[in-house]
Amino acid sequence: MTDREIIKKNLEEINNNIEKACLKAGRKSSDIQIIGVTKTIDIERINILKDFGIKTFGENKAQELLEKYDSIQDASWHFIGNLQTNKVKYIIDKVELIQSVNSLKLLNEINKRAFNINKNIPILLEINIANEPSKNGIKEEEIPFFLENMQSFKNITLNGLMCIAPFVENIEQNAQYFRKMRKLFVDIKAKNKDNINMRYLSMGMTNDYSIAIEEGANMIRIGTGIFGKRNY
Ligand SMILES: *Cc1c(COP(=O)(O)O)cnc(C)c1O
């Protein structure tokens, strides 16, 4: 099969699964946004994905995002990886959403760089929902501290939450974490604070997006499921 045929077939399967998960949960599939995770994927295949209507791409390295940015027209970029503070200035004018904000230092730097270019940058807080030592993300109990600090960052808007669920044999085990994320999302939304406009619950990847949707995700980040296994 050609790359185009593979991507088309994979997308059909994903869309079917999204429909099924939505049906199960009583949700509309039009409410689910797919972010095409394009790390390590070449420009040609990213353009194919764009032809099929997915125009928002997730990258986890600043350098790689910069390399691709100029080669792909009419696309939006989300940063989804661990962002070093010294890289913020390179991507700040190129990203539609920074999904992986996991420290106060990073928030501070994003706010400063956004102020410099007179923009407001939407972000998600990355939550280490299963308290895994190996993972980035802020702990559930640290959230109030971040929300308090948000009030002073005038060039940032908190648009929601993101998580990477644990790697498990039985993906049903992740339902509990997705459910917890949804509850956190709803609780923050209810607070109705300045600089906070909760719109996106970004959870679910190739292995677990169906469960994530059943538990309330409205943004899923898929790489392998679209392009096949990555060659690092
Ligand atoms: C790589 C990556 C994904 C996509 O993972 P797949 O299993 O390939 O779908 C999603 N989110 C983040 C943060 C990633 O780094």
Side-chain angles (χ1 to χ4, degrees):
M1 284 205 284
T2 63
D3 284 340
R4 186 169 292 271
E5 286 165 344
I6 292 169
I7 292 169
K8 181 165 187 276
K9 179 173 155 286
N10 287 344
L11 277 178
E12 280 167 3
E13 189 183 323
I14 291 164
N15 282 321
N16 270 335
N17 289 335
I18 291 175
E19 286 295 337
K20 274 189 220 153
C22 282
L23 201 64
K24 216 166 151 183
R27 304 184 59 197
K28 288 185 296 189
S29 55
S30 56
D31 290 342
I32 315 294
Q33 187 183 358
I34 302 173
I35 308 302
V37 176
T38 49
K39 60 190 185 198
T40 78
I41 303 299
D42 50 275
I43 303 292
E44 202 180 329
R45 283 188 292 163
I46 300 174
N47 274 319
I48 294 173
L49 182 57
K50 229 184 71 185
D51 290 343
F52 288 119
I54 293 181
K55 297 180 176 181
T56 306
F57 306 122
E59 287 285 341
N60 67 343
K61 295 204 172 78
Q63 182 61 36
E64 196 173 336
L65 191 152
L66 291 173
E67 282 165 19
K68 290 171 179 173
Y69 184 81
D70 286 325
S71 310
I72 298 174
Q73 313 306 315
D74 305 317
S76 303
W77 298 89
H78 287 191
F79 200 85
I80 61 171
N82 192 35
L83 181 56
Q84 288 168 279
T85 48
N86 63 354
K87 300 283 168 64
V88 173
K89 58 180 178 289
Y90 301 120
I91 63 153
I92 193 76
D93 60 337
K94 300 186 168 56
V95 286
E96 178 182 67
L97 180 66
I98 302 177
Q99 294 207 12
S100 43
V101 175
N102 53 23
S103 75
L104 199 58
K105 193 172 158 224
L106 183 56
L107 264 184
N108 216 345
E109 178 67 13
I110 294 169
N111 189 62
K112 185 176 111 188
R113 297 295 173 178
F115 175 82
N116 285 350
I117 59 168
N118 197 22
K119 270 178 74 167
N120 190 288
I121 301 293
I123 64 134
L124 307 183
L125 285 180
E126 179 179 0
I127 310 297
N128 187 350
I129 196 65
N131 264 320
E132 293 175 278
S134 62
K135 283 229 171 83
N136 292 310
I138 69 174
K139 294 199 183 102
E140 205 181 321
E141 57 268 27
E142 295 171 323
I143 293 175
F145 170 76
F146 276 83
L147 296 186
E148 255 168 58
N149 277 282
M150 270 307 298
Q151 305 302 303
S152 58
F153 294 134
K154 299 300 178 201
N155 288 74
I156 294 179
T157 303
L158 176 62
N159 266 178
L161 303 178
M162 172 279 214
C163 78
I164 302 173
F167 183 76
V168 287
E169 286 286 320
N170 174 8
I171 49 154
E172 292 286 343
Q173 285 177 297
N174 279 339
Q176 57 175 318
Y177 298 120
F178 294 141
R179 210 167 298 149
K180 249 171 128 178
M181 284 290 289
R182 166 116 204 283
K183 186 172 183 311
L184 293 171
F185 179 89
V186 170
D187 287 349
I188 298 169
K189 193 180 174 115
K191 290 187 202 296
N192 233 329
K193 290 200 175 189
D194 284 354
N195 302 358
I196 301 182
N197 176 13
M198 298 298 277
R199 300 169 61 191
Y200 304 121
L201 185 53
S202 175
M203 54 188 196
M205 304 169 29
T206 297
N207 283 326
D208 54 14
Y209 66 89
S210 289
I211 311 275
I213 290 169
E214 284 171 33
E215 298 299 338
N218 59 14
M219 187 174 270
I220 57 177
R221 310 178 309 269
I222 305 188
T224 311
I226 295 171
F227 298 109
K229 226 167 165 281
R230 283 177 291 272
N231 319 301
Y232 283 99

